Amino acid sequence: MNKKLLLSTFLMFAITIGFSQTKEELQAQKAEKQAEANKFQAEADALQKQIDALPGWRVGAFGTIGGSLSNFNNWYAQGVPNNSSGNIGITFNAFANKIEDKYFWRNSLNTNLSWVKLDNKDTDTDSDNFEPTTDVFNLSSLYGRNISKTWAVSGLMEYRTTLLDNFNDPGYLDLGVGATWTPLENLIVVIHPLNYNFVFADNDAVFESSLGAKIVADYTRQIGAIAFKSNFSTFQSYESSDLSNWTWTNSFSYTLWKMIGVGFDFALRNNKQEALSYALAQDPPAATSFEDLDNKLQSYYTIGLSYKF
């Protein structure tokens, strides 16, 4: 009996030692292969950087889709027991840049659209449709001729409006010339002291075009699974500060699996002309002129699934 117990113990110990040795050997082999893979990946990344630095077109896009739907029937714990609601938001960022030794042509598109529905089934006075809420459309084109490694003489066209509601009312078209500074690979700073801000709107008493200065700073970068873009655009009118405006938009995307990930977008804006137009449309009017206007900071954000094109 003791011999059988001793033999069984010995066999179990031998199997354990053999398994441990096999596991350690496999881990060592994996470490060697991983080191080789990291080396090849670093070489591939270095080659990709050389490819990206070559003259030619660079295109890309990523966006965010966020949404939720709900439906309640006889849910008496809340004030409206029978209702259906929904929220849908879509953002899209795209660029097409042609980079050459002597010149560049950078084009970008940014859109942010969202719809909201809140339908009380017990009343017929409210809407059961998805109504537009966030509505942003921004298209820009920048052309420049290099005069040094970081400076260029440039011309900019930027158009901003809404798509879902009140298209081109207002709409803003900036046309200007000046200089572009590129201190970093992914940072672009546009300084145009000669810029005309065309404003298109039905309410001519509030919205007015004027001459001024245009400044744009754009930083776009991809770091592994993270893609982000930050853009600050401001127009400073030479005629009056009431005609000036600025917008700061930010987009982040983190890839989780293949081309799908999570995204976050937010923006801030200051525009007295838009604020006054809204105040005058209230009943009674919330303001009568720029002097008594409460110009609050505008903002929006969207969180949801993202897709990298």
Side-chain angles (χ1 to χ4, degrees), residues 67-75 78 80-88 115-121 128 130:
S68 65
L69 298 173
S70 63
N71 186 79
F72 290 87
N73 291 305
N74 303 320
W75 197 265
Q78 60 188 14
V80 182
N82 302 292
N83 74 81
S84 62
S85 62
N87 187 315
I88 301 173
W115 299 261
V116 171
K117 179 181 79 167
L118 179 57
D119 176 30
N120 184 348
K121 301 177 184 179
D128 58 354
F130 279 90

Side-chain angles (χ1 to χ4, degrees), residues 105-118:
W105 183 25
R106 299 176 179 271
N107 305 277
S108 66
L109 171 67
N110 170 258
T111 61
N112 189 309
L113 309 174
S114 66
W115 299 261
V116 171
K117 179 181 79 167
L118 179 57

